[in-house]
Amino acid sequence: MAHGAEKVRLSLQKENTGWKKWGPYLSERQWGTVREDYSGNGDAWNYITHEMALSKAYRWGEDGIGGFSDNKQHICLSFAFWNHKDKLIKERIFGLTNRESNHGEDVKEMYYYLDSTPTHSYTKMLYKYPQQAFPYEKIRQENARRGKQDPEYEIMDTGIFENDEYFDIFIEHAKADEEDILMKVTVFNRGPKDAPITVLPTILFRNTWSWGYEAFNYKPIMNGISNRLIEVTHRKHGKYNLYLDNADELLFCENETNFKKLYGTSNNTSYPKDGINDHIVSGGKSGTINPNSIGTKASARFTKTIKAGESATFKLRFVNHTISEPFGGFEDLFSKRIREADEFYDDLQKEVSDPDLKSIQRQSYAGMLWSKQFYYYNVYEWLKGDPAQPGPNQGRKWGRNSGWKHLYAANIISMPDKWEYPWFAAWDLAFHCVPLARVDAGFAKRQLEILLREYYMHPNGQIPAYEWNFSDVNPPVHGWATWKVYEIDQEQNNGVGDIEFLEKIFHKLLLNFTWWVNQKDDTGNNIFSGGFLGLDNIGVFDRSTPMPFGGKLQQADATGWMAMYTLNMLRISVEVSLVHPVYQDMASKFFEHFLHIAGAMESIGGKNSSISLWDEEDQFYYDVIHIPNGQSILLKVRSIVGLIPLFAVEILDPQNLDKLPVFKRRVEWVLANRPDLARLISRWFESGKGENRLLSILRGHRMKMIMKRMLDESEFLSDFGVRALSKYHEANPYKFYINGEVLQVDYTPAEALTDIMGGNSNWRGPIWFPLNYLIFDSLMKFHAYYGEDFLIENPTNSGNLTTIKDAAVGIACRLIDIFKKDTEGNRAVYGHDQKMQKDPHFNEHVLFYEYFHGDNGRGCGASHQTGWTGLVAELIHKTAHEQVKQLEKEELEISK
C-alpha cells in the first residue's frame, strides 16, 4: 500500500495522464534540431538560429524557460524576462551552435533544476538573469577566436556576474489538482543597486493549424479580460482560465511566423510570434500586439523595480474551471506540496545521512524529472513535407533518416539534456531509467518500452539511435537496463516482480538481438563491429565511417557488449521461466550463445590464426583491424574499450536452476560435451559464495589483470572515477602509421582536441558516469560470487588489500566526490571558478555535466546532462545502503 500523498498520486496513474498530464514537457531548445530542419543541405543549426526562433513558428514542438505543458504539448506555459537593457526579451535559453563554439554546441546560461516530485505536483528551478545587457556577441566572438587547444568561453568568464548585478529568478509550480496549477515566480535582486525587471508569464498553443492537415484545421483561441484573466479555449482540451495576480497589462499575438522579418515576404497575420517581444523592447511603440486582446500566444506583463537585496513575487493560476478567489490559500497550497515533496524524499533518502549528499541526490532527481520532454517527430510527414508549405528539397527522400519512414514519435521521453541534446538517445535513455526507477518505476518501465514499440524500432529490429542519424549504432544496453529497473521495482514492491513487463520487453529485445547477430557479425564468427558505439573519438579512426585502406575493424567493445547482452537475455529468460517454464529453451539458447562469443574472443582468426582480442603481452583487450593483404593488427590503445568485457558477468542462483530442470539439463550437457567452450568461462561446477554460479568472459587470471590495470592510479583510476583512456598515453601516445601519415591518440583529460563525431564529446581521458556505473555494477556481481575472502590490491601498487566490493564502493565514492564538498567547501565539478565555489548563491546548487576532467573532476560538455550523470543518485543510494549494512553487521558482532 502506498503511504504519503505523492506515493498515493503515483499509485493512481502509471501513464502520463492524471496527475502527470501536466509537467515540464517543453524543450529548452527547439531551434537547431533535425525535426525543424527543412533545408536542402541538412544544416539544422542554421535553418533556424537562436535569433530566428524569436520570429519563426516551430513545426514539431515548443521551447521556453520553466516550461510546462500538457502531455501532447497543445497548451504551453513558460516565462520570459526583460532586464530593460537587452535588445530582445529573454524568452529561451541561449547557447552556441556546433560551428560557433570551439568544443561543439554549448549552452551559455546559468540555470538549475532544484526540485520536482515524480508527478510534478511540485517543481522548482532557478534562472540567473544578468541586469546588464546579456553578452551574446562577446560570447560568440571570443569562442570564435579560440581553438581546440583553448578552454570553452563560458558565461561566467564574461564577468557578467562578478558584481552581483543579476536576478535570481525562482520558478515554482504546485498543483492543487490534476487540472489546477499554481505558479509562482520569485525574483531576488542580488546586486548593490535597485534594478527594474519585466516578468512575462507566457501561454501559447503549439502551432498545429499552419501545415495544411484536415484534422488540425481548427485554430484555438485565447482572449483577455481586464488585466487579471486569460480565457483559453481548445477543441481537444476544453476551456481553461489563466488567472494573473495584478498584472500591468495583457499582451496578445499569434504563434505564427514573421515571414516579413525573416524572408521579406508577406505575413499571414499582423501580430506574428515576435509581436510581444517587439512591443516590450520598443516601449509599446511597435504596434505588434492585438488591441482586441485575442490570439494564440499571450503574456501578462509585470514590471517592477526591485530594491537591492530584496525580492518580489508574481503569482498566476491555470485551472479548468472558474474560481472566484484564485489566489486565496495560494501560499498554503505551496507549503503543503513542499511538505509532501519533503516527505517523499525523506522516505527515499532514509539511509543517506549526509545533508550535502541528500541535496546532491535530490537535485539530481530534480534534473532528471525536469528533463522530461514531449518529443514529436513523424518521419514520413517530415520527409514528404506539409500540404500548406513549400515542398522540401528532393534530396531529403534519400538523405537523413530516410530509411525510418515508419517512425512516429509523440511521447513524453527522458532527454539527456533539454538544451544540448533535446532528443532521445537510445543508450542514454537506458541509463536514465535506472535512477528514474527509484523515484517512479512506472515511468522508467514505460521509457524502456517506448523505443521497442513498432513505431520506433525498425522492422529489421534496430533500435533508433538519435535523431541526427537513427541508423547509428548505440551499445546494446536495453537488456541490462530492463533487468536493473525490474530489480529496483521488485525491491520497492515487497519482492514481487513485474513479470508481465519483463516478458513484454523480452519479446522485443529478441528482435533487436537478432538484428545485432545478423547485421554486426558479418562473418558469423561471433565477433562484432558496430561503429562508434557511443564512444565518439575513442579510437584511432572515426569508427562511424569506413576504415581506411579498405580495412575491417573487429571491436572488443562491440563483442563485449554482445556478451553482456546475451547474459542480460539469459537472466531475463531465467526469471520469466520461473513463472512460464516454456522460456527455458530461450535461456538455453542464450547460455550457448554466450559460450560461443567467449570462444570467439579467445581467437578471432580461426584455426590458422593466433590473433585474439586479448593480448597476452599487455594482458588487455584491444580492437583488431584486418587489412586486405591478410595482415591483422592489434590497435593497442589502452582505453575503456578493453574494460567493457568486464561487464559480461552474471550470477545464477542454484535454487532457481533446480526449479528449471530443462535448462539445467541442457547447461550440464553443453558443459560436459563442449569442454573447449566451458574452459573459457569461470568454471560452472565451482560454486562461489552461497553456492552461486558465475558466468563471465573473464576467468580468474584475466579478471585480476583487468582489475589491476583499472585500479592503477597511473593508468585508469582517477581521484574521481575510472578514466576513459589510460593516463599511460599522456607520456606514450599511441601512433598508427598509414600511407605516410601518423594517426595519434593522446591522453586528453578534458574537452576533445579532435573533430571526430563533431568534437563536442571526448572519450580520450575524461570520466563518464555510464561506464563507471557499469563497472560498479559488475564488480558488485563478482563480489557476490567470490565473497569476503577474495582480496585484490586496491589501488594497484598500494599494498592495500580489499574485497572486490570495497573496490566497487571506492570507485562509487570517487564519482560522488565530483559533486560533494571537500574539506574546504569546494566541489570538484566547478574547478577553479571561485564564484561558483564560494558564493552561497551559487555553491549550494549543483550542475550535472556530461563528463568530467580525468584528473581534477571538473565538469565538461553539456552542463545539464542529468540524464546519465543522474546515475550519481543511484550511487549515493547504493553506497549509503552498504554503509548501513556494514554498521548493522558490526553492531551484531558486538552484541554477540
Side-chain angles (χ1 to χ4, degrees), residues 83 85-86 127-135 155-156 158-169 187-197 306-309 835 839 841-842:
N83 59 11
K85 300 281 182 65
D86 284 338
Y127 173 62
K128 290 182 176 287
Y129 186 33
Q131 293 171 4
Q132 299 301 318
F134 194 90
I155 189 171
M156 296 300 292
T158 68
I160 198 76
F161 294 108
E162 283 184 5
N163 299 318
D164 292 331
E165 293 179 336
Y166 69 93
F167 298 107
D168 265 344
I169 303 174
V187 182
F188 287 84
N189 179 358
R190 300 300 187 194
K193 300 177 182 178
D194 300 352
I197 188 169
I306 304 178
K307 293 184 178 180
K835 185 78 171 173
D839 190 318
H841 297 308
F842 282 82

Side-chain angles (χ1 to χ4, degrees), residues 269-391:
T269 174
S270 299
Y271 314 108
K273 180 180 178 180
D274 50 18
I276 294 170
N277 171 85
D278 294 354
H279 174 82
I280 292 293
V281 298
S282 71
K285 301 175 183 178
S286 66
T288 55
I289 60 168
N290 192 326
N292 296 317
S293 296
I294 60 173
T296 51
K297 177 181 178 181
S299 293
R301 180 180 67 82
F302 297 86
T303 297
K304 188 176 183 66
T305 296
I306 304 178
K307 293 184 178 180
E310 296 188 7
S311 67
T313 299
F314 309 91
K315 302 175 182 177
L316 51 156
R317 185 169 189 170
F318 181 72
V319 60
N320 66 345
H321 56 269
T322 301
I323 301 178
S324 58
E325 295 185 20
F327 300 101
F330 191 90
E331 293 297 337
D332 291 340
L333 191 281
F334 263 92
S335 297
K336 181 180 181 181
R337 292 293 179 257
I338 291 170
R339 285 196 304 273
E340 292 168 354
D342 289 343
E343 176 186 50
F344 177 81
Y345 282 108
D346 284 346
D347 179 64
L348 189 71
Q349 298 178 310
K350 56 181 176 290
E351 293 183 332
V352 183
S353 57
D354 186 315
D356 190 32
L357 292 183
K358 282 189 173 184
S359 176
I360 294 164
Q361 189 182 45
R362 188 159 171 174
Q363 289 183 64
S364 172
Y365 286 133
M368 301 204 72
L369 293 167
W370 268 93
S371 293
K372 296 179 183 180
Q373 178 184 318
F374 174 68
Y375 184 84
Y376 182 35
Y377 189 15
N378 180 331
V379 176
Y380 175 74
E381 287 185 358
W382 179 79
L383 290 168
K384 177 170 61 75
D386 298 315
Q389 301 296 314

